[in-house]
Amino acid sequence: CSICHCFSDKNNTSTDGRNCIICSEESRDKNVICILQKASDVIIFERTGYNGLYHILGNLISPIDGISEEDLNIDTLLKRLDSVSEIILATDASLEGDATALYISNLLKDYSVKITRLARGLPIGGTLEHVDQTTLSRSIEDRVELK
């Protein structure tokens, strides 16, 4: 897709053949863009009922692998910010994912857009004895109040 870099169907008659079905769908919340590393991540988010738009980076920043900011689909993201109120950073919970999220949040700090990151914590059905220290620490930091 020329807009979000996701898969597009060249046989899709609702678009010019360059844009995907999601970007063309009128019922989508066009105020929210979820940033993902790869197009296959869209399938996972679609199962949750998320109804916003997407933007595929194509990579995560990884100096060890020779991947820098210039290797990300950032220019097309910046062109989309005029009509967006929120950016959801949904990169992996890894050093590369965190570095990429930090880079993007710093890049967008001067734009009038809310920047959020996916919550991290204990998995449903998980037990404390099987959770790594980093996940447990993040769970404590990101705890929510019960009323």
Side-chain angles (χ1 to χ4, degrees):
C1 175
S2 63
I3 298 171
C4 72
H5 304 280
C6 194
F7 303 120
S8 64
D9 180 4
K10 294 193 185 300
N11 296 322
N12 182 4
T13 57
S14 67
T15 69
D16 61 7
R18 296 182 357 212
N19 298 336
C20 69
I21 293 171
I22 293 172
C23 287
S24 303
E25 192 176 310
E26 291 298 319
S27 65
R28 291 275 173 175
D29 182 353
K30 308 245 188 272
N31 296 310
V32 182
I33 296 178
C34 182
I35 308 285
L36 299 169
Q37 175 188 356
K38 54 190 182 293
S40 59
D41 294 338
V42 170
I43 297 165
I44 297 165
F45 272 82
E46 284 296 289
R47 290 180 189 152
T48 70
Y50 171 78
N51 194 38
L53 300 175
Y54 298 98
H55 191 83
I56 310 305
L57 295 173
N59 276 308
L60 296 177
I61 296 171
S62 178
I64 292 173
D65 297 320
I67 301 169
S68 69
E69 303 85 19
E70 291 82 30
D71 297 311
L72 307 179
N73 294 320
I74 296 293
D75 291 342
T76 50
L77 173 63
L78 297 177
K79 292 176 185 174
R80 302 175 69 190
L81 294 179
D82 289 341
S83 61
V84 175
S85 60
E86 182 179 2
I87 295 289
I88 302 171
L89 297 171
T91 55
D92 291 343
S94 64
L95 289 174
E96 295 83 1
D98 289 345
T100 304
L102 182 61
Y103 169 74
I104 293 171
S105 65
N106 285 334
L107 185 68
L108 302 182
K109 68 182 176 189
D110 293 331
Y111 290 84
S112 59
V113 63
K114 178 181 176 181
I115 302 168
T116 59
R117 181 102 160 102
L118 291 181
R120 298 181 186 177
L122 301 174
I124 301 297
T127 60
L128 290 177
E129 64 186 337
H130 295 105
V131 175
D132 64 276
Q133 286 304 136
T134 304
T135 300
L136 187 55
S137 295
R138 292 284 180 142
S139 297
I140 293 169
E141 289 173 19
D142 297 338
R143 67 188 181 276
V144 295
E145 181 178 352
L146 300 177
K147 293 186 179 195

